[in-house]
Amino acid sequence: MATPRTRPEVEREIKRTLGIVPSFFDRMPDATLDFEWTLFQRFEMQEEGMAIPAKYRQLLGVGIHSETKCEYCTLFHSEFAKLLGATDEEVQEAVHYAKHTVGLSVYLNGIREPLDQFTNEVEEIIDFLGNTTAAKAV
């Protein structure tokens, strides 16, 4: 594992990348700043080597943090997604999808749906959809 960079080195890189050193980075302990900045860059900003494009990762973030009710993260991911080309409609859809999937999760857990039964049904659905021309058009 590489030796962590010094705080001034990391802060210079943050400022070069974001234009400022946001206060949440400024308040991080010296021992974790380099690590946290590296993770932030990779998951929030990097395109190369990532399977999911940054715009879609930001839309995922909007949906996730709408559910976690983190105002900070919801704001960041919404604005960054728009900067990366997301429309207001895409942001709305990400939030609605999060609401939908969390609601179904609550329902399935609440009724204590047997996991083995659910697993078998998912397999049947996937098999059916995989063999249906209508599903291939989706």
Side-chain angles (χ1 to χ4, degrees):
M1 187 171 192
T3 304
R5 296 173 292 173
T6 66
R7 178 172 213 93
E9 290 173 314
V10 176
E11 287 180 342
R12 277 193 298 277
E13 185 175 312
I14 294 170
K15 187 168 185 173
R16 198 170 46 249
T17 304
L18 302 178
I20 64 169
V21 177
S23 58
F24 68 91
F25 278 122
D26 190 45
R27 297 176 66 176
M28 283 183 186
D30 293 347
T32 62
L33 179 63
D34 189 22
F35 176 73
E36 293 296 340
W37 169 244
T38 299
L39 288 177
F40 181 89
Q41 282 184 292
R42 177 170 175 76
F43 290 107
E44 303 301 341
M45 306 181 79
Q46 186 174 319
E47 286 286 357
E48 188 176 320
M50 300 299 285
I52 301 171
K55 173 183 158 182
Y56 300 134
R57 290 195 312 268
Q58 294 309 314
L59 289 168
L60 285 166
V62 172
I64 290 165
H65 294 295
S66 294
E67 166 54 25
T68 66
K69 297 168 185 56
C70 178
E71 294 179 44
Y72 307 98
C73 294
T74 303
L75 174 65
F76 174 81
H77 292 294
S78 295
E79 294 304 314
F80 199 25
K82 290 176 188 176
L83 178 67
L84 295 173
T87 64
D88 287 337
E89 183 179 18
E90 288 173 314
V91 171
Q92 291 285 332
E93 190 170 301
V95 172
H96 193 88
Y97 180 77
K99 181 215 58 95
H100 161 76
T101 193
V102 168
L104 284 176
S105 177
V106 168
Y107 178 70
L108 290 169
N109 280 286
I111 65 170
R112 300 182 54 101
E113 182 75 6
L115 184 57
D116 57 344
Q117 177 181 329
F118 185 78
T119 300
N120 291 335
E121 290 172 353
V122 167
E123 289 173 1
E124 285 183 50
I125 291 167
I126 296 303
D127 286 344
F128 175 79
L129 292 175
N131 293 318
T132 305
T133 56
K136 293 176 183 167
V138 174

